[in-house]
Amino acid sequence: MMRLLKLVPDDTNIRFLKWRNVAIILSIILTVASIALTVTRGLNFGVDFAGGQMIQVTFTEDDVAPIAELREDIDALGVEGASIQRFGDENQVSIRMRVTEGVDDDPELASAVSTRVTQMIEGEHAGARIDSVDSVSGKVSGELFRAGALALGLAMLAISLYIWLRFEWQFGVGALFALFHDVALTFGFFALTQLEFNLNIVAALLTIIGYSLNDTIVVYDRIRENLRKYRKMEIVPLLDLSVNETLARTVMTSLTMAIALVVLVFVGPDVLFGFTVAMLLGVFVGTYSSVYMASPVLIWLKVGSDTFVPEETSPSGQRIHKEGYDR
Amino acid sequence: MNDFPPWKVWMLTAMLVIGVLLSIPSLLTEEQRAYIPEFLPQPSINLGLDLSGGVHILLEAQTEEFQEQRLQTLSDRIEDAMEDDGPTIEIGSLSRRGGAVTFTVRDEAQLDDAMERVRALTQPVGFTGQRDFSVENEDSLQIVVTPTEAGNAEAIDIAVNTATEVVRTRIDELGTREPTIIRQGTERIVVQVPGLDSPESLMALLGRTASLEFRLVNYEADPNMALACQAPIGSEAMPYANPADGTGCVIVQRRVMVSGDQLVNAQQGFDQRTGQVTVNLTFDGTGGREFGRVTQENVGRPFAILLDGEVLSAPNINEPILGGNAQISGSFSVQSANELAIALRSGRLPIELAVIENRTVGPELGGDSIRWGGLAGMIATIAVMTFMIVTYGRFGIYANVALGLNLFLILAIMALLDATLTLPGIAGFVLTVGAAVDANVLINERIREEQRRGRKVIDAVQTGYKEASRAIFDANITNFIGGVLMFSFGSGPVRGFAVVLVLGIVTSVFTAVTVTRMMVSVWIKNKRPTELNI
C-alpha cells in the first residue's frame, strides 16, 4: 500500500500554552502597534472609500509607460494632485485623482475630470488603451465606507454571539478577542505597506473573520469534548491536549488555503493582489490567534470541567444531554 | 455504514449528475451553446462588468432643484388661478421663501375665495388622507402654501420612476445589448451596459434633461437688461448655450409656446441650403396648431429655442410655420445632433440626474482577468488535489471528487439563480478550493485518530464522520454569517464574491460530508476492507 504523507506525526505533545504569556505580550504589542500605525500613518484608501477617480491605462505600443510625459500632460490639463504609478506590467499605469473641489455642489464635475483625462490620453498617445475608469463621488464613497465599517463590526459581533450560544460566554469572549486581533493586524499590515485599501479588502477582512473562526471553532469544539471526557484534568494541559489533537487538521487546512491563495497572489490578476495578500496573511494570523488568543482567554475566564455538564445516562440507558447541542 | 441503501445512492447520484449538467452551459462560449438543442434548459451564468467589460453608472436625482421647480410651477399656477378662475383677485408680494410660496390678498373680502382657489390646485396623496401642499392663512391677508412631506415624497417617486423609463428608452436607442436599468432606493438609478467601452457618450445622453422649449422673445425689453441678464416681470433672461452666439442673455417670455413634450419625432438632418447639421422636429396635432398660430401672429418678431434653460438660437419668424414641422440648428456635430435627437425622442427627464459613480472596464482587461483568474483556479485545484491524494490516499480521491462536484454545483446554482460572476467571485472559487477540503481534512484526521485509538474500520469511519460533523457545522455557520453580511452591505464585485462564498459553504457541506460519506460507504460495503490506509 502507498505510504501516505503525514505532515504532523501522530500523538504530538507540544506544550503550546507554556509560551502563552510571551505570546500574549507579543500579540498585545503587535495589536497596539497596528492600531497606532493605522491611526498615525493612515490607510491608503482607494477611490471606493476616498472618492475621486482612478484610471488604468495600457500603452500597447510602448514597452515602458511614458510616465513623465503623462504627468506633464495631466498637469497641463490643470488637474491637480494626480498621482501616477506603474501598475502590473511595465507599460501599464494607474492614475489616481482626488475628489475635485466644489464637487459637492455639482456632482457632474467629477466625471468631467476623468472624461477630460481619458480623452487627452487617447488623443496624445497612440496605442493607449483605457482599461478601466472608476469615478466615485464623495457622497457614494462615504456611504461605502460606513457600510463597510458596519458590516465588519456586525460580523464580529454576530459571530461572537453565535459562539456564545453554541458554547459558553467565555468562548464568545475568546473568539471576539481573537477576531479583534486578526482584524487589527490586517489593518496594521495595510498601514505599513500602504497597499490600496478598497472594497475588496473589506471583503477579504470579512473572509478572514470567517476563516479565523474556523480554526477557533475546531479547537473549541475539541476543548469542549475533552472537558467532558477528562473531568479531573487541569485546564492548561487540557488546552494543550486539544490543540495537539487538532494540530494535524490545523496544519493541513492552513496549507490547502495557503496553496490556493499563493497561486492567486502570483498567477491571479493584478487587481486582486491586495485582496489575496490580505487573505494569505489572515490565514496565518488566524491560525496563530486561535491557539494563542482564543485559548488562553479561557484560562483567565476560569473555564473548567464544571463549565459543561457531562453526558449522563438516563434510566432507560439512552444517553441524554443536559447541554442542548447536536449529537 | 448501512445508511446508504441503493435508492439513496441512486438519488444522490442523479442529483449530482443533474447539477453538473446544469453547470455546463456556463462553461461554453456563446457559439458552442448554439449547438445545445432548444428544448433543453440552458441556464448560464452572467459575467459581471469587471469581467465582460462595460459601463456601470449610478445616477442620483437632484431633489433640491426639483423642489425649487415644483414651487416655481406652483407659484405660476397660483398666479393663473387668481386671474382666471372667476373674478380676478388682486394679489401681491408673491414669493418663494423658506421652501414655501407666500402671497398676500389685497382685498380682505376675497381672502376665502383665494384660499379656495389655491386649495383646488392641491391634490390628495395616495390614501394617506394628506394633500400635496398645505394651504394656510397665517396672518390677516397672507397665504402660505407649503409642500407636505408626503406630497414631496410622492412627486419625487413619480419623477424618478418616469426618469427611469426615460433612461431606459434612451439606452435602448443606443442599440447596446442587454443593458440593465434598475431604480435603487428613492432617488437613484443604476445603469449597467455590458460591452460598451466609452462611458462619455452614455453619460452625455443620460445627464441631459432635454427640456426643449419654444418661447417668444420679449423684444420690447431694454437691451441693457439683456446684457446684464436681468428680466422684467413676466419675462426671463436666458443665457446662450454657445457663448459665441452673443453676449449676455436673451429675454424671453415666461409663457412657453410649445415644448418638447408635444413632439412626436426628432431626427438628425441637414439644412438643405447651408448644409448645417440640424435636428428636425415633428410636433403632435395640438403642438403643431399652437406653433402655427403663434408664429402666424408674430411674423417678423424673434423667438427663442431653449434647451435645458439655454438659448440654442433666437431666429426671426420669417413666415408662419404651419404643418407641425420645425428644424433647429446650433453648433451641432452629427454625433451631438444625433444624441439630442435621441434625448428629445425619449422625452424630457422630469428630474435632473447627476452621475455620482461611474465604473468602466475595458473588454481587454476583463478578458485578461478571466484568463489569469481561470489559470490560477486551475493551478490551485491541481495543487490542492495532489496534496490531498498524497496525504489521504483513497480518502483524498473521494475528497477530490467531492471538490470537483462542488465547483460544478456552485456554477449550476449560480446559473439557476441568475447570479453574476465577478472578478472577486473567481477569487471566491479559488478560495473555496482551499477551504472546502477542510471538512474532509477534519473527517479524515478524525478517522486516523479513531483508528489509532483502536477502533475497527467501520467504527472508526462512522465515529470520524459523526464527531467531525459538529465542528464542520459550527465552522461553516460562522463563515456563512460573514458571507451574508458581506452580501448585504457590499456592492457590485464584492457581492459577487459573497455569492460564491456562501454557495460554496452550502454546497461544500453537502459534497464534502454527504457525498464522500456515500462513496466511502459504498466502498466499504463492496470491498469489506479490514484495514484503512489513511
Side-chain angles (χ1 to χ4, degrees):
Chain A
M1 250 200 251
M2 190 171 89
R3 230 187 98 81
L4 297 176
L5 176 73
K6 273 196 181 150
L7 287 174
V8 178
D10 293 344
D11 297 319
T12 50
N13 189 16
I14 306 166
R15 292 175 61 198
F16 286 102
L17 290 172
K18 196 167 75 179
W19 304 297
R20 65 175 183 275
N21 289 327
V22 182
I24 218 78
I25 290 167
L26 183 74
S27 297
I28 290 173
I29 292 173
L30 281 176
T31 308
V32 170
S34 293
I35 295 172
L37 203 62
T38 311
V39 171
T40 54
R41 207 159 162 197
L43 297 168
N44 175 17
F45 284 122
V47 285
D48 294 341
F49 295 133
Q53 287 85 36
M54 177 142 97
I55 301 172
Q56 284 176 15
V57 192
T58 304
F59 293 89
T60 54
E61 290 179 6
D62 305 82
D63 291 331
V64 179
I67 291 184
E69 205 181 311
L70 203 58
R71 188 160 284 145
E72 276 172 29
D73 289 341
I74 289 175
D75 285 345
L77 281 181
V79 176
E80 279 168 32
S83 71
I84 305 172
Q85 279 182 326
R86 198 172 70 80
F87 179 86
D89 291 337
E90 291 278 339
N91 63 344
Q92 295 182 310
V93 293
S94 75
I95 304 163
R96 179 68 212 285
M97 288 165 286
R98 299 278 157 194
V99 177
T100 338
E101 271 182 46
V103 82
D104 285 341
D105 303 323
D106 183 4
E108 299 283 324
L109 227 60
S111 21
V113 172
S114 55
T115 305
R116 245 164 51 214
V117 174
T118 50
Q119 278 171 349
M120 179 278 290
I121 294 172
E122 279 173 335
E124 299 279 316
H125 299 269
R129 186 184 77 200
I130 308 291
D131 282 329
S132 72
V133 178
D134 289 84
S135 173
V136 181
S137 69
K139 191 171 180 185
V140 172
S141 63
E143 288 168 16
L144 290 175
F145 186 84
R146 279 189 294 279
L150 195 61
L152 216 55
L154 279 180
M156 284 166 72
L157 277 180
I159 290 174
S160 304
L161 251 167
Y162 179 77
I163 307 270
W164 175 23
L165 288 176
R166 288 288 291 175
F167 295 86
E168 283 297 320
W169 67 270
Q170 294 94 330
F171 292 72
V173 173
L176 194 60
F177 263 93
L179 284 182
F180 185 75
H181 169 260
D182 299 347
V183 171
L185 255 57
T186 313
F187 272 113
F189 173 76
F190 276 89
L192 185 71
T193 55
Q194 290 291 303
L195 279 172
E196 189 184 296
F197 193 94
N198 53 31
L199 268 182
N200 283 349
I201 307 303
V202 173
L205 271 167
L206 286 168
T207 318
I208 290 170
I209 288 181
Y211 284 100
S212 152
L213 248 289
N214 225 346
D215 279 335
T216 309
I217 285 174
V218 170
V219 176
Y220 275 5
D221 185 68
R222 189 54 72 103
I223 293 172
R224 178 169 59 189
E225 193 183 324
N226 286 339
L227 276 172
R228 291 203 172 106
K229 216 192 268 173
Y230 310 107
R231 315 261 315 151
K232 297 273 152 60
M233 201 189 263
E234 288 289 314
I235 185 72
V236 177
L238 187 132
L239 295 181
D240 266 335
L241 175 72
S242 308
V243 173
N244 273 294
E245 281 178 347
T246 51
L247 189 63
R249 176 266 161 195
T250 306
V251 171
M252 265 305 282
T253 299
S254 302
L255 265 176
T256 56
M257 296 266 291
I259 290 174
L261 288 167
V262 165
V263 173
L264 262 184
V265 169
F266 288 104
V267 183
D270 298 319
V271 186
L272 290 179
F273 183 76
F275 179 62
T276 42
V277 165
M279 283 197 278
L280 190 57
L281 178 82
V283 167
F284 292 109
V285 174
T287 309
Y288 162 83
S289 72
S290 44
V291 175
Y292 282 111
M293 294 289 297
S295 303
V297 170
L298 300 182
I299 304 175
W300 298 316
L301 294 177
K302 306 259 185 273
V303 167
S305 54
D306 52 344
T307 309
F308 294 103
V309 179
E311 292 172 352
E312 280 175 20
T313 310
S314 72
S316 64
Q318 261 187 328
R319 292 202 304 177
I320 56 161
H321 295 258
K322 283 216 170 162
E323 278 292 310
Y325 72 90
D326 292 343
R327 269 129 290 166
Chain B
M1 297 295 284
N2 52 5
D3 46 355
F4 279 96
W7 68 268
K8 216 169 174 180
V9 173
W10 283 112
M11 198 184 73
L12 277 174
T13 314
M15 267 171 75
L16 292 169
V17 169
I18 291 172
V20 171
L21 285 178
L22 284 174
S23 71
I24 288 176
S26 302
L27 296 168
L28 301 178
T29 61
E30 227 159 281
E31 295 88 61
Q32 290 167 324
R33 266 207 292 278
Y35 291 105
I36 304 177
E38 287 269 334
F39 62 89
L40 290 174
Q42 306 181 23
S44 77
I45 208 160
N46 300 310
L47 288 186
L49 289 179
D50 55 348
L51 294 179
S52 66
V55 181
H56 163 105
I57 288 177
L58 184 61
L59 297 161
E60 188 174 66
Q62 303 303 95
T63 51
E64 269 172 45
E65 282 162 43
F66 180 71
Q67 314 273 42
E68 284 292 304
Q69 254 175 31
R70 249 181 110 223
L71 284 183
Q72 179 60 51
T73 315
L74 176 72
S75 136
D76 290 350
R77 287 177 65 202
I78 290 174
E79 221 172 347
D80 287 350
M82 296 304 145
E83 276 174 29
D84 304 335
D85 300 357
T88 304
I89 300 174
E90 290 287 325
I91 57 166
S93 43
L94 178 67
S95 71
R96 293 180 280 134
R97 228 178 290 123
V101 175
T102 58
F103 64 96
T104 51
V105 179
R106 296 206 199 274
D107 183 357
E108 200 173 350
Q110 289 181 307
L111 185 66
D112 289 339
D113 189 15
M115 290 280 283
E116 260 330 294
R117 287 189 198 181
V118 179
R119 282 213 181 93
L121 295 176
T122 64
Q123 304 270 332
V125 180
F127 299 106
T128 57
Q130 271 183 299
R131 299 189 80 80
D132 54 356
F133 292 97
S134 73
V135 187
E136 263 151 79
N137 173 215
E138 292 235 313
D139 64 307
S140 63
L141 295 173
Q142 194 180 43
I143 295 176
V144 180
V145 191
T146 326
T148 60
E149 201 125 309
N152 269 340
E154 192 191 47
I156 290 173
D157 186 59
I158 293 171
V160 175
N161 253 341
T162 315
T164 312
E165 286 317 307
V166 172
V167 166
R168 196 186 310 278
T169 321
R170 289 188 189 177
I171 291 174
D172 284 345
E173 294 257 5
L174 280 181
T176 50
R177 64 192 169 100
E178 296 168 34
T180 313
I181 297 114
I182 303 169
R183 179 167 173 193
Q184 192 182 64
T186 51
E187 346 186 308
R188 290 183 179 175
I189 303 169
V190 181
V191 176
Q192 294 190 319
V193 188
L196 189 76
D197 63 349
S198 84
E200 291 88 11
S201 59
L202 185 63
M203 286 201 285
L205 192 60
L206 298 185
R208 168 170 264 157
T209 306
S211 150
L212 181 74
E213 289 170 347
F214 290 77
R215 300 201 208 175
L216 286 171
V217 172
N218 183 349
Y219 57 95
E220 288 164 338
D222 182 355
N224 286 327
M225 281 180 95
L227 278 175
C229 282
Q230 289 168 330
I233 292 163
S235 296
E236 261 185 295
M238 295 299 197
Y240 285 98
N242 183 354
D245 288 349
T247 45
C249 293
V250 177
I251 297 177
V252 295
Q253 296 188 354
R254 266 195 184 281
R255 206 160 286 271
V256 175
M257 261 159 77
V258 274
S259 74
D261 295 345
Q262 290 155 301
L263 287 177
V264 288
N265 198 8
Q267 291 286 337
Q268 181 262 321
F270 295 98
D271 188 305
Q272 280 165 356
R273 280 163 303 168
T274 60
Q276 258 190 315
V277 181
T278 60
V279 177
N280 299 338
L281 310 172
T282 311
F283 291 105
D284 61 11
T286 45
R289 274 193 297 280
E290 184 66 13
F291 199 48
R293 189 182 64 79
V294 181
T295 48
Q296 207 154 21
E297 287 168 8
N298 292 284
V299 172
R301 292 174 188 158
F303 74 107
I305 303 165
L306 298 161
L307 181 66
D308 296 340
E310 291 176 335
V311 178
L312 279 183
S313 60
N316 271 317
I317 303 169
N318 297 324
E319 55 194 275
I321 304 170
L322 307 168
N325 286 311
Q327 197 178 50
I328 55 176
S329 54
S331 32
F332 293 133
S333 65
V334 173
Q335 198 196 347
S336 68
N338 236 325
E339 281 170 13
L340 178 59
I342 291 175
L344 289 174
R345 276 204 299 276
S346 56
R348 180 178 64 89
L349 281 177
I351 188 163
E352 201 182 318
L353 300 175
V355 177
I356 54 170
E357 188 185 355
N358 156 36
R359 293 178 193 264
T360 306
V361 175
E364 291 88 357
L365 184 67
D368 267 4
S369 298
I370 295 181
R371 265 190 300 284
W372 289 110
L375 184 65
M378 229 145 12
I379 296 176
T381 311
I382 292 170
V384 167
M385 284 185 167
T386 314
F387 192 46
M388 288 298 283
I389 294 180
V390 173
T391 314
Y392 299 119
R394 174 181 290 275
F395 283 77
I397 295 175
Y398 291 153
N400 289 345
V401 173
L403 176 61
L405 288 170
N406 185 21
L407 296 179
F408 282 113
L409 285 185
I410 300 176
L411 257 185
I413 295 177
M414 282 181 77
L416 287 176
L417 293 178
D418 215 18
T420 305
L421 180 68
T422 61
L423 180 53
I426 292 183
F429 266 96
V430 183
L431 190 72
T432 301
V433 169
V437 291
D438 178 49
N440 295 108
V441 171
L442 270 165
I443 294 166
N444 295 348
E445 288 297 337
R446 191 72 195 219
I447 295 176
R448 277 183 174 179
E449 210 183 309
E450 296 301 329
Q451 228 187 352
R452 276 206 302 278
R453 288 190 187 148
R455 286 185 200 265
K456 293 270 177 285
V457 171
I458 294 180
D459 198 15
V461 170
Q462 245 165 357
T463 318
Y465 269 94
K466 195 184 115 195
E467 292 295 326
S469 298
R470 203 177 44 231
I472 294 173
F473 180 76
D474 279 334
N476 279 297
I477 289 275
T478 59
N479 289 338
F480 190 81
I481 294 173
V484 167
L485 282 168
M486 202 188 305
F487 187 80
S488 5
F489 290 98
S491 71
V494 171
R495 281 191 156 197
F497 177 68
V499 168
V500 176
L501 205 67
V502 168
L503 286 180
I505 289 164
V506 177
T507 53
S508 82
V509 171
F510 171 65
T511 54
V513 181
T514 314
V515 175
T516 60
R517 197 179 161 143
M518 178 187 83
M519 288 189 278
V520 173
S521 95
V522 168
W523 172 64
I524 289 182
K525 204 152 107 192
N526 292 337
K527 297 277 172 206
R528 305 201 174 277
T530 49
E531 58 177 314
L532 288 178
N533 182 27
I534 188 169

